mmCIF file of all heavy atoms in Angstrom:
data_model
loop_
_atom_site.group_PDB
_atom_site.id
_atom_site.type_symbol
_atom_site.label_atom_id
_atom_site.label_comp_id
_atom_site.label_asym_id
_atom_site.label_seq_id
_atom_site.Cartn_x
_atom_site.Cartn_y
_atom_site.Cartn_z
ATOM 1 N N GLN A 1 -49.106 -20.814 1.110
ATOM 2 C CA GLN A 1 -48.067 -21.126 2.077
ATOM 3 C C GLN A 1 -48.151 -22.567 2.531
ATOM 4 O O GLN A 1 -49.191 -23.215 2.434
ATOM 5 C CB GLN A 1 -48.164 -20.194 3.293
ATOM 6 C CG GLN A 1 -49.432 -20.392 4.122
ATOM 7 C CD GLN A 1 -49.451 -19.553 5.380
ATOM 8 O OE1 GLN A 1 -48.397 -19.190 5.909
ATOM 9 N NE2 GLN A 1 -50.634 -19.240 5.871
ATOM 10 N N ASP A 2 -47.028 -23.049 3.034
ATOM 11 C CA ASP A 2 -46.942 -24.313 3.741
ATOM 12 C C ASP A 2 -46.339 -23.978 5.097
ATOM 13 O O ASP A 2 -45.122 -23.798 5.215
ATOM 14 C CB ASP A 2 -46.083 -25.321 2.988
ATOM 15 C CG ASP A 2 -46.043 -26.681 3.659
ATOM 16 O OD1 ASP A 2 -46.357 -26.789 4.857
ATOM 17 O OD2 ASP A 2 -45.688 -27.665 2.976
ATOM 18 N N THR A 3 -47.173 -23.872 6.105
ATOM 19 C CA THR A 3 -46.705 -23.425 7.411
ATOM 20 C C THR A 3 -45.740 -24.418 8.051
ATOM 21 O O THR A 3 -44.875 -24.023 8.833
ATOM 22 C CB THR A 3 -47.886 -23.175 8.355
ATOM 23 O OG1 THR A 3 -48.680 -24.359 8.462
ATOM 24 C CG2 THR A 3 -48.763 -22.047 7.826
ATOM 25 N N SER A 4 -45.864 -25.700 7.730
ATOM 26 C CA SER A 4 -44.965 -26.697 8.292
ATOM 27 C C SER A 4 -43.546 -26.555 7.770
ATOM 28 O O SER A 4 -42.602 -27.045 8.396
ATOM 29 C CB SER A 4 -45.481 -28.106 8.013
ATOM 30 O OG SER A 4 -45.383 -28.437 6.644
ATOM 31 N N LYS A 5 -43.380 -25.886 6.641
ATOM 32 C CA LYS A 5 -42.063 -25.700 6.035
ATOM 33 C C LYS A 5 -41.585 -24.255 6.080
ATOM 34 O O LYS A 5 -40.517 -23.946 5.543
ATOM 35 C CB LYS A 5 -42.085 -26.162 4.577
ATOM 36 C CG LYS A 5 -42.386 -27.640 4.397
ATOM 37 C CD LYS A 5 -42.384 -28.012 2.920
ATOM 38 C CE LYS A 5 -42.652 -29.487 2.726
ATOM 39 N NZ LYS A 5 -42.672 -29.863 1.286
ATOM 40 N N ASN A 6 -42.358 -23.375 6.707
ATOM 41 C CA ASN A 6 -42.032 -21.945 6.714
ATOM 42 C C ASN A 6 -41.766 -21.446 5.298
ATOM 43 O O ASN A 6 -40.771 -20.750 5.031
ATOM 44 C CB ASN A 6 -40.827 -21.660 7.610
ATOM 45 C CG ASN A 6 -41.148 -21.751 9.085
ATOM 46 O OD1 ASN A 6 -42.267 -22.074 9.477
ATOM 47 N ND2 ASN A 6 -40.158 -21.464 9.920
ATOM 48 N N THR A 7 -42.656 -21.791 4.399
ATOM 49 C CA THR A 7 -42.455 -21.511 2.988
ATOM 50 C C THR A 7 -43.698 -20.881 2.374
ATOM 51 O O THR A 7 -44.819 -21.311 2.658
ATOM 52 C CB THR A 7 -42.111 -22.801 2.222
ATOM 53 O OG1 THR A 7 -40.905 -23.358 2.751
ATOM 54 C CG2 THR A 7 -41.920 -22.533 0.741
ATOM 55 N N VAL A 8 -43.484 -19.868 1.559
ATOM 56 C CA VAL A 8 -44.558 -19.279 0.767
ATOM 57 C C VAL A 8 -44.288 -19.546 -0.703
ATOM 58 O O VAL A 8 -43.139 -19.697 -1.128
ATOM 59 C CB VAL A 8 -44.729 -17.773 1.028
ATOM 60 C CG1 VAL A 8 -45.161 -17.523 2.462
ATOM 61 C CG2 VAL A 8 -43.441 -17.017 0.714
ATOM 62 N N TYR A 9 -45.362 -19.592 -1.476
ATOM 63 C CA TYR A 9 -45.281 -19.911 -2.885
ATOM 64 C C TYR A 9 -45.975 -18.838 -3.700
ATOM 65 O O TYR A 9 -46.869 -18.148 -3.226
ATOM 66 C CB TYR A 9 -45.944 -21.255 -3.177
ATOM 67 C CG TYR A 9 -45.403 -22.405 -2.363
ATOM 68 C CD1 TYR A 9 -46.037 -22.810 -1.188
ATOM 69 C CD2 TYR A 9 -44.260 -23.086 -2.763
ATOM 70 C CE1 TYR A 9 -45.542 -23.860 -0.443
ATOM 71 C CE2 TYR A 9 -43.762 -24.139 -2.018
ATOM 72 C CZ TYR A 9 -44.406 -24.526 -0.862
ATOM 73 O OH TYR A 9 -43.913 -25.569 -0.119
ATOM 74 N N LEU A 10 -45.559 -18.719 -4.938
ATOM 75 C CA LEU A 10 -46.258 -17.897 -5.904
ATOM 76 C C LEU A 10 -46.470 -18.730 -7.157
ATOM 77 O O LEU A 10 -45.523 -18.989 -7.904
ATOM 78 C CB LEU A 10 -45.479 -16.621 -6.235
ATOM 79 C CG LEU A 10 -46.203 -15.631 -7.138
ATOM 80 C CD1 LEU A 10 -47.415 -15.030 -6.409
ATOM 81 C CD2 LEU A 10 -45.274 -14.525 -7.609
ATOM 82 N N GLN A 11 -47.699 -19.170 -7.352
ATOM 83 C CA GLN A 11 -48.053 -19.899 -8.560
ATOM 84 C C GLN A 11 -48.395 -18.891 -9.642
ATOM 85 O O GLN A 11 -49.314 -18.088 -9.480
ATOM 86 C CB GLN A 11 -49.243 -20.823 -8.297
ATOM 87 C CG GLN A 11 -49.697 -21.624 -9.510
ATOM 88 C CD GLN A 11 -48.663 -22.618 -9.969
ATOM 89 O OE1 GLN A 11 -48.130 -23.376 -9.163
ATOM 90 N NE2 GLN A 11 -48.359 -22.617 -11.264
ATOM 91 N N MET A 12 -47.670 -18.934 -10.739
ATOM 92 C CA MET A 12 -47.833 -17.982 -11.828
ATOM 93 C C MET A 12 -48.295 -18.724 -13.071
ATOM 94 O O MET A 12 -47.563 -19.558 -13.611
ATOM 95 C CB MET A 12 -46.528 -17.240 -12.101
ATOM 96 C CG MET A 12 -45.949 -16.548 -10.872
ATOM 97 S SD MET A 12 -44.496 -15.542 -11.260
ATOM 98 C CE MET A 12 -43.359 -16.830 -11.775
ATOM 99 N N ASN A 13 -49.496 -18.417 -13.510
ATOM 100 C CA ASN A 13 -50.072 -19.031 -14.696
ATOM 101 C C ASN A 13 -50.317 -17.971 -15.763
ATOM 102 O O ASN A 13 -50.342 -16.781 -15.480
ATOM 103 C CB ASN A 13 -51.388 -19.731 -14.355
ATOM 104 C CG ASN A 13 -51.228 -20.849 -13.360
ATOM 105 O OD1 ASN A 13 -50.228 -21.560 -13.364
ATOM 106 N ND2 ASN A 13 -52.228 -21.023 -12.497
ATOM 107 N N SER A 14 -50.518 -18.423 -16.978
ATOM 108 C CA SER A 14 -50.800 -17.524 -18.106
ATOM 109 C C SER A 14 -49.790 -16.393 -18.178
ATOM 110 O O SER A 14 -50.143 -15.218 -18.325
ATOM 111 C CB SER A 14 -52.225 -16.977 -17.998
ATOM 112 O OG SER A 14 -53.178 -18.017 -17.974
ATOM 113 N N LEU A 15 -48.532 -16.737 -18.093
ATOM 114 C CA LEU A 15 -47.482 -15.732 -18.039
ATOM 115 C C LEU A 15 -47.390 -14.935 -19.331
ATOM 116 O O LEU A 15 -47.583 -15.472 -20.425
ATOM 117 C CB LEU A 15 -46.142 -16.390 -17.726
ATOM 118 C CG LEU A 15 -45.963 -16.782 -16.255
ATOM 119 C CD1 LEU A 15 -44.858 -17.812 -16.102
ATOM 120 C CD2 LEU A 15 -45.660 -15.538 -15.418
ATOM 121 N N LYS A 16 -47.093 -13.660 -19.174
ATOM 122 C CA LYS A 16 -46.966 -12.725 -20.275
ATOM 123 C C LYS A 16 -45.550 -12.165 -20.314
ATOM 124 O O LYS A 16 -44.865 -12.136 -19.292
ATOM 125 C CB LYS A 16 -47.959 -11.569 -20.114
ATOM 126 C CG LYS A 16 -49.404 -11.988 -19.948
ATOM 127 C CD LYS A 16 -50.279 -10.780 -19.648
ATOM 128 C CE LYS A 16 -51.722 -11.168 -19.457
ATOM 129 N NZ LYS A 16 -52.563 -9.990 -19.138
ATOM 130 N N PRO A 17 -45.098 -11.685 -21.473
ATOM 131 C CA PRO A 17 -43.762 -11.079 -21.534
ATOM 132 C C PRO A 17 -43.572 -9.954 -20.517
ATOM 133 O O PRO A 17 -42.465 -9.799 -19.988
ATOM 134 C CB PRO A 17 -43.682 -10.554 -22.970
ATOM 135 C CG PRO A 17 -44.546 -11.494 -23.744
ATOM 136 C CD PRO A 17 -45.698 -11.810 -22.813
ATOM 137 N N GLU A 18 -44.612 -9.187 -20.231
ATOM 138 C CA GLU A 18 -44.497 -8.105 -19.272
ATOM 139 C C GLU A 18 -44.324 -8.577 -17.830
ATOM 140 O O GLU A 18 -44.076 -7.767 -16.941
ATOM 141 C CB GLU A 18 -45.688 -7.144 -19.369
ATOM 142 C CG GLU A 18 -47.032 -7.838 -19.356
ATOM 143 C CD GLU A 18 -47.600 -8.059 -20.752
ATOM 144 O OE1 GLU A 18 -46.850 -8.524 -21.634
ATOM 145 O OE2 GLU A 18 -48.790 -7.751 -20.963
ATOM 146 N N ASP A 19 -44.460 -9.877 -17.588
ATOM 147 C CA ASP A 19 -44.174 -10.438 -16.273
ATOM 148 C C ASP A 19 -42.684 -10.660 -16.054
ATOM 149 O O ASP A 19 -42.277 -11.006 -14.943
ATOM 150 C CB ASP A 19 -44.905 -11.767 -16.081
ATOM 151 C CG ASP A 19 -46.416 -11.611 -16.067
ATOM 152 O OD1 ASP A 19 -46.917 -10.644 -15.471
ATOM 153 O OD2 ASP A 19 -47.095 -12.480 -16.660
ATOM 154 N N THR A 20 -41.884 -10.492 -17.086
ATOM 155 C CA THR A 20 -40.444 -10.684 -16.975
ATOM 156 C C THR A 20 -39.850 -9.710 -15.964
ATOM 157 O O THR A 20 -40.028 -8.498 -16.079
ATOM 158 C CB THR A 20 -39.773 -10.497 -18.336
ATOM 159 O OG1 THR A 20 -40.236 -11.507 -19.238
ATOM 160 C CG2 THR A 20 -38.257 -10.607 -18.218
ATOM 161 N N ALA A 21 -39.146 -10.240 -14.969
ATOM 162 C CA ALA A 21 -38.574 -9.414 -13.904
ATOM 163 C C ALA A 21 -37.787 -10.300 -12.953
ATOM 164 O O ALA A 21 -37.862 -11.528 -13.009
ATOM 165 C CB ALA A 21 -39.663 -8.677 -13.135
ATOM 166 N N MET A 22 -37.030 -9.647 -12.069
ATOM 167 C CA MET A 22 -36.517 -10.324 -10.900
ATOM 168 C C MET A 22 -37.631 -10.350 -9.857
ATOM 169 O O MET A 22 -38.228 -9.306 -9.572
ATOM 170 C CB MET A 22 -35.297 -9.607 -10.338
ATOM 171 C CG MET A 22 -34.024 -9.823 -11.133
ATOM 172 S SD MET A 22 -33.375 -11.509 -10.973
ATOM 173 C CE MET A 22 -32.940 -11.555 -9.242
ATOM 174 N N TYR A 23 -37.887 -11.506 -9.302
ATOM 175 C CA TYR A 23 -38.925 -11.662 -8.296
ATOM 176 C C TYR A 23 -38.281 -11.846 -6.928
ATOM 177 O O TYR A 23 -37.413 -12.699 -6.754
ATOM 178 C CB TYR A 23 -39.822 -12.848 -8.627
ATOM 179 C CG TYR A 23 -40.827 -12.533 -9.703
ATOM 180 C CD1 TYR A 23 -40.426 -12.372 -11.023
ATOM 181 C CD2 TYR A 23 -42.179 -12.370 -9.402
ATOM 182 C CE1 TYR A 23 -41.338 -12.055 -12.007
ATOM 183 C CE2 TYR A 23 -43.096 -12.061 -10.384
ATOM 184 C CZ TYR A 23 -42.677 -11.902 -11.683
ATOM 185 O OH TYR A 23 -43.591 -11.595 -12.663
ATOM 186 N N TYR A 24 -38.717 -11.047 -5.974
ATOM 187 C CA TYR A 24 -38.148 -11.036 -4.636
ATOM 188 C C TYR A 24 -39.170 -11.447 -3.594
ATOM 189 O O TYR A 24 -40.330 -11.037 -3.649
ATOM 190 C CB TYR A 24 -37.642 -9.636 -4.275
ATOM 191 C CG TYR A 24 -36.537 -9.123 -5.162
ATOM 192 C CD1 TYR A 24 -36.821 -8.385 -6.303
ATOM 193 C CD2 TYR A 24 -35.208 -9.377 -4.853
ATOM 194 C CE1 TYR A 24 -35.816 -7.911 -7.114
ATOM 195 C CE2 TYR A 24 -34.191 -8.906 -5.659
ATOM 196 C CZ TYR A 24 -34.503 -8.171 -6.788
ATOM 197 O OH TYR A 24 -33.485 -7.697 -7.589
ATOM 198 N N CYS A 25 -38.714 -12.215 -2.649
ATOM 199 C CA CYS A 25 -39.493 -12.555 -1.478
ATOM 200 C C CYS A 25 -39.176 -11.560 -0.377
ATOM 201 O O CYS A 25 -38.023 -11.166 -0.202
ATOM 202 C CB CYS A 25 -39.157 -13.977 -1.026
ATOM 203 S SG CYS A 25 -39.999 -14.528 0.467
ATOM 204 N N ALA A 26 -40.189 -11.147 0.364
ATOM 205 C CA ALA A 26 -40.008 -10.199 1.450
ATOM 206 C C ALA A 26 -40.805 -10.646 2.666
ATOM 207 O O ALA A 26 -41.793 -11.378 2.545
ATOM 208 C CB ALA A 26 -40.447 -8.799 1.018
ATOM 209 N N ALA A 27 -40.370 -10.187 3.834
ATOM 210 C CA ALA A 27 -41.008 -10.610 5.073
ATOM 211 C C ALA A 27 -41.086 -9.475 6.077
ATOM 212 O O ALA A 27 -40.293 -8.531 6.038
ATOM 213 C CB ALA A 27 -40.261 -11.788 5.690
ATOM 214 N N ASP A 28 -42.055 -9.601 6.951
ATOM 215 C CA ASP A 28 -42.199 -8.762 8.136
ATOM 216 C C ASP A 28 -42.690 -7.361 7.809
ATOM 217 O O ASP A 28 -42.033 -6.365 8.120
ATOM 218 C CB ASP A 28 -40.908 -8.709 8.939
ATOM 219 C CG ASP A 28 -41.142 -8.272 10.368
ATOM 220 O OD1 ASP A 28 -42.295 -8.271 10.818
ATOM 221 O OD2 ASP A 28 -40.152 -7.944 11.048
ATOM 222 N N SER A 29 -43.844 -7.310 7.196
ATOM 223 C CA SER A 29 -44.576 -6.062 7.034
ATOM 224 C C SER A 29 -45.734 -6.071 8.020
ATOM 225 O O SER A 29 -46.578 -6.964 7.969
ATOM 226 C CB SER A 29 -45.109 -5.901 5.614
ATOM 227 O OG SER A 29 -46.013 -4.813 5.529
ATOM 228 N N HIS A 30 -45.765 -5.081 8.880
ATOM 229 C CA HIS A 30 -46.808 -5.056 9.898
ATOM 230 C C HIS A 30 -48.194 -4.877 9.287
ATOM 231 O O HIS A 30 -49.167 -5.453 9.761
ATOM 232 C CB HIS A 30 -46.525 -3.952 10.917
ATOM 233 C CG HIS A 30 -47.327 -4.065 12.166
ATOM 234 N ND1 HIS A 30 -47.088 -5.042 13.112
ATOM 235 C CD2 HIS A 30 -48.377 -3.343 12.632
ATOM 236 C CE1 HIS A 30 -47.948 -4.912 14.104
ATOM 237 N NE2 HIS A 30 -48.747 -3.886 13.841
ATOM 238 N N ALA A 31 -48.273 -4.111 8.216
ATOM 239 C CA ALA A 31 -49.551 -3.848 7.578
ATOM 240 C C ALA A 31 -49.922 -4.888 6.527
ATOM 241 O O ALA A 31 -51.064 -4.935 6.085
ATOM 242 C CB ALA A 31 -49.538 -2.454 6.935
ATOM 243 N N CYS A 32 -48.964 -5.690 6.102
ATOM 244 C CA CYS A 32 -49.154 -6.694 5.054
ATOM 245 C C CYS A 32 -49.749 -6.073 3.789
ATOM 246 O O CYS A 32 -50.730 -6.561 3.229
ATOM 247 C CB CYS A 32 -50.010 -7.857 5.541
ATOM 248 S SG CYS A 32 -49.565 -9.442 4.778
ATOM 249 N N SER A 33 -49.130 -5.004 3.369
ATOM 250 C CA SER A 33 -49.521 -4.319 2.150
ATOM 251 C C SER A 33 -48.628 -4.756 1.001
ATOM 252 O O SER A 33 -47.801 -5.666 1.142
ATOM 253 C CB SER A 33 -49.421 -2.803 2.342
ATOM 254 O OG SER A 33 -48.065 -2.402 2.429
ATOM 255 N N LEU A 34 -48.786 -4.100 -0.143
ATOM 256 C CA LEU A 34 -47.935 -4.346 -1.303
ATOM 257 C C LEU A 34 -46.918 -3.225 -1.495
ATOM 258 O O LEU A 34 -46.446 -2.994 -2.607
ATOM 259 C CB LEU A 34 -48.787 -4.523 -2.558
ATOM 260 C CG LEU A 34 -49.736 -5.731 -2.540
ATOM 261 C CD1 LEU A 34 -50.535 -5.800 -3.833
ATOM 262 C CD2 LEU A 34 -48.962 -7.024 -2.324
ATOM 263 N N LEU A 35 -46.583 -2.540 -0.417
ATOM 264 C CA LEU A 35 -45.598 -1.465 -0.445
ATOM 265 C C LEU A 35 -44.242 -2.015 -0.028
ATOM 266 O O LEU A 35 -44.086 -2.514 1.086
ATOM 267 C CB LEU A 35 -46.010 -0.325 0.468
ATOM 268 C CG LEU A 35 -47.323 0.368 0.123
ATOM 269 C CD1 LEU A 35 -47.657 1.420 1.168
ATOM 270 C CD2 LEU A 35 -47.240 1.002 -1.257
ATOM 271 N N ALA A 36 -43.262 -1.904 -0.904
ATOM 272 C CA ALA A 36 -41.947 -2.476 -0.632
ATOM 273 C C ALA A 36 -41.312 -1.884 0.617
ATOM 274 O O ALA A 36 -40.641 -2.595 1.369
ATOM 275 C CB ALA A 36 -41.034 -2.268 -1.840
ATOM 276 N N ALA A 37 -41.520 -0.601 0.856
ATOM 277 C CA ALA A 37 -40.881 0.062 1.983
ATOM 278 C C ALA A 37 -41.375 -0.451 3.321
ATOM 279 O O ALA A 37 -40.733 -0.213 4.344
ATOM 280 C CB ALA A 37 -41.101 1.568 1.889
ATOM 281 N N SER A 38 -42.490 -1.149 3.342
ATOM 282 C CA SER A 38 -43.039 -1.644 4.595
ATOM 283 C C SER A 38 -42.448 -2.983 5.028
ATOM 284 O O SER A 38 -42.721 -3.428 6.143
ATOM 285 C CB SER A 38 -44.560 -1.767 4.491
ATOM 286 O OG SER A 38 -44.943 -2.830 3.638
ATOM 287 N N PHE A 39 -41.646 -3.614 4.192
ATOM 288 C CA PHE A 39 -41.070 -4.919 4.501
ATOM 289 C C PHE A 39 -39.643 -4.768 5.004
ATOM 290 O O PHE A 39 -38.856 -3.988 4.459
ATOM 291 C CB PHE A 39 -41.100 -5.837 3.281
ATOM 292 C CG PHE A 39 -42.469 -6.399 2.996
ATOM 293 C CD1 PHE A 39 -43.401 -5.666 2.296
ATOM 294 C CD2 PHE A 39 -42.810 -7.662 3.442
ATOM 295 C CE1 PHE A 39 -44.665 -6.172 2.042
ATOM 296 C CE2 PHE A 39 -44.070 -8.185 3.190
ATOM 297 C CZ PHE A 39 -44.995 -7.439 2.495
#
């Protein structure tokens, strides 16, 4: 993250074909888990 810009980043290296997808940013999960329903 860059807190001065209110911005988060995802650096993706060694990409594989199975990484192909739509990538979504989400915010405001109280538990900060990897469960989509919590955001």
